């Protein structure tokens, strides 16, 4: 195992203990861009703990985190960190959230860790070497019929503005009779796709820290990750994502595009 992955694992476990303890404490919560876009005291504590750990090992590496942004440096490696993915769940005492940490070099994700402290599931991956959960190798599903699939999605905090027709995408897929979950943590959604628990995932307006580790996990588990335009996802350049087993990703994209085409032709009716 590489030193990068080892460092990410130790940092994620340490932050995970913090979050697990914090969940039942009386923590402070405030709003960011909108009322429901929250940050808790524990997002910040987790971020500080992860950054301290990484800096101890690699003082010259660059860091991109959700809460404090871009910490520039001359190093070749950039760490991409979501210290608490699933903040709204956490803030309401719902034990479904994780820490997501990835290391990137020249636009390529080298390794990633997603840790769910409440279930003690540690998802790990390294470029070209595979994906694991608590040491067990992961594989995406092999379902080939979209209508028989089980999918997961999420909504941005700006959902009321229906960015990219996300509400209509959702209702269209539901209308096909496909069971869909909205669990509230994009990174864990991706880890669950890698683990074969879901056949696919789509969401718009995500950030690099939501997707970096999960994208490599899905790919290393045999899955495909693209953006809504059908391009191989680059987490620094795209914010829309479709991930899943290689048979279904294109089918999901086609269904989302059907809604977009209706809009373009002016034929979309709620
Ligand atoms: C959010 C979660 C959620 C997704 C949102 C994200 P946060 O991240 O991943 O599942 O639907 O788009 O912003 O705010 O909990 O780190
Ligand atoms: Ca997030
Ligand atoms: Ca977060």
């Amino acid at each position: 195992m590489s030193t990068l992955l080892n460092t990410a694992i130790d940092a994620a476990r340490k932050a995970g203990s913090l979050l697990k303890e914090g969940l039942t404490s009386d923590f402070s919560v405030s709003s960011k861009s909108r009322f429901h876009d929250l940050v808790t005291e524990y997002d910040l504590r987790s971020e500080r703990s992860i950054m301290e750990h990484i800096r101890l090992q690699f003082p010259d590496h660059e860091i991109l985190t959700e809460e404090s942004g871009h910490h520039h440096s001359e190093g070749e490696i950039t760490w991409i960190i979501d210290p608490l993915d699933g903040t709204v769940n956490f803030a309401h005492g719902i034990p479904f959230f994780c820490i997501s940490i990835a290391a990137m070099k020249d636009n390529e994700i080298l390794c990633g860790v997603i840790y769910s402290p409440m279930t003690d599931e540690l998802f790990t991956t390294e470029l070209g070497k595979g994906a694991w959960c608590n040491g067990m190798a992961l594989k995406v599903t092999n379902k080939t019929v979209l209508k028989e699939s089980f999918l997961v999605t999420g909504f941005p905090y700006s959902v009321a503005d229906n960015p990219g027709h996300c509400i209509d995408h959702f209702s269209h897929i539901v209308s096909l009779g496909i069971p869909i979950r909205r669990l509230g943590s994009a990174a864990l959604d991706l880890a669950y796709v890698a683990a074969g628990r879901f056949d696919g995932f789509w969401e718009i307006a995500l950030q690099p820290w939501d997707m970096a580790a999960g994208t490599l996990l899905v790919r290393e588990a045999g899955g495909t990750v693209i953006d809504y335009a059908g391009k191989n996802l680059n987490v620094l350049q795209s914010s829309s994502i479709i991930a899943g087993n290689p048979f279904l990703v294109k089918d999901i994209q086609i269904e989302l595009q059907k809604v977009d085409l209706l809009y373009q032709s002016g034929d979309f009716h709620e």
Side-chain angles (χ1 to χ4, degrees):
M1 194 186 292
S2 71
T3 346
L4 287 176
L5 183 58
N6 253 324
T7 302
I9 291 173
D10 290 346
R13 282 200 182 280
K14 214 164 143 195
S17 310
L18 250 176
L19 295 182
K20 193 171 175 181
E21 256 179 58
L23 184 65
T24 48
S25 72
D26 189 13
F27 53 82
S28 66
V29 186
S30 50
S31 292
K32 297 200 280 186
S33 64
R34 299 173 190 246
F35 183 75
H36 286 294
D37 182 4
L38 306 176
V39 59
T40 73
E41 182 186 328
Y42 278 92
D43 293 76
L44 305 173
R45 288 178 69 168
S46 173
E47 182 163 304
R48 273 199 300 273
S49 157
I50 296 166
M51 284 182 61
E52 265 170 36
H53 190 85
I54 290 174
R55 280 191 164 143
L56 217 62
Q57 306 286 323
F58 303 111
D60 64 331
H61 286 184
E62 190 148 312
I63 297 183
L64 172 65
T65 64
E66 176 168 12
E67 307 306 338
S68 58
H70 211 150
H71 303 261
H72 294 274
S73 98
E74 298 302 309
E76 289 182 317
I77 304 283
T78 303
W79 292 88
I80 305 179
I81 302 164
D82 193 333
L84 201 185
D85 187 55
T87 295
V88 175
N89 284 345
F90 185 91
H92 293 85
I94 296 173
F96 190 86
F97 54 83
C98 68
I99 292 124
S100 175
I101 304 176
M104 179 180 258
K105 186 180 172 191
D106 299 332
N107 250 326
E108 189 149 55
I109 307 158
L110 301 179
C111 68
V113 170
I114 292 177
Y115 181 52
S116 158
M118 304 311 288
T119 57
D120 196 23
E121 285 185 308
L122 181 77
F123 297 89
T124 54
T125 183
E126 273 189 286
L127 184 64
K129 296 193 179 155
W132 305 270
C133 177
N134 293 350
M136 300 262 292
L138 300 179
K139 182 125 197 50
V140 295
T141 64
N142 55 12
K143 199 158 287 167
T144 55
V145 180
L146 186 63
K147 284 199 176 178
E148 293 174 4
S149 70
F150 181 44
L151 303 180
V152 62
T153 189
F155 301 101
Y157 291 110
S158 60
V159 62
D161 303 333
N162 197 15
H165 322 138
C166 64
I167 298 175
D168 311 297
H169 286 156
F170 176 74
S171 58
H172 174 65
I173 304 268
V174 172
S175 75
L176 301 175
I178 297 170
I180 303 175
R181 297 292 179 268
R182 195 286 194 244
L183 301 177
S185 162
L188 272 183
D189 295 340
L190 285 164
Y192 280 22
V193 169
R197 297 173 186 173
F198 289 113
D199 299 297
F201 165 68
W202 82 93
E203 185 164 349
I204 197 162
L206 286 178
Q207 301 289 339
W209 44 82
D210 298 311
M211 306 184 283
T215 294
L216 187 63
L217 263 170
V218 172
R219 287 183 176 144
E220 289 293 327
T224 302
V225 189
I226 58 173
D227 61 21
Y228 283 11
K231 280 198 351 217
N232 241 348
L233 183 82
N234 177 323
V235 299
L236 296 181
Q237 284 162 13
S238 310
S239 59
S240 64
I241 180 170
I242 307 173
N245 89 34
F247 309 111
L248 293 181
V249 158
K250 185 77 195 161
D251 292 349
I252 298 171
Q253 190 207 1
I254 289 170
E255 293 307 326
L256 302 184
Q257 277 178 346
K258 281 184 189 167
V259 173
D260 301 342
L261 289 172
L262 282 178
Y263 263 99
Q264 277 164 27
S265 64
D267 283 344
F268 187 83
H269 302 291
E270 281 184 52

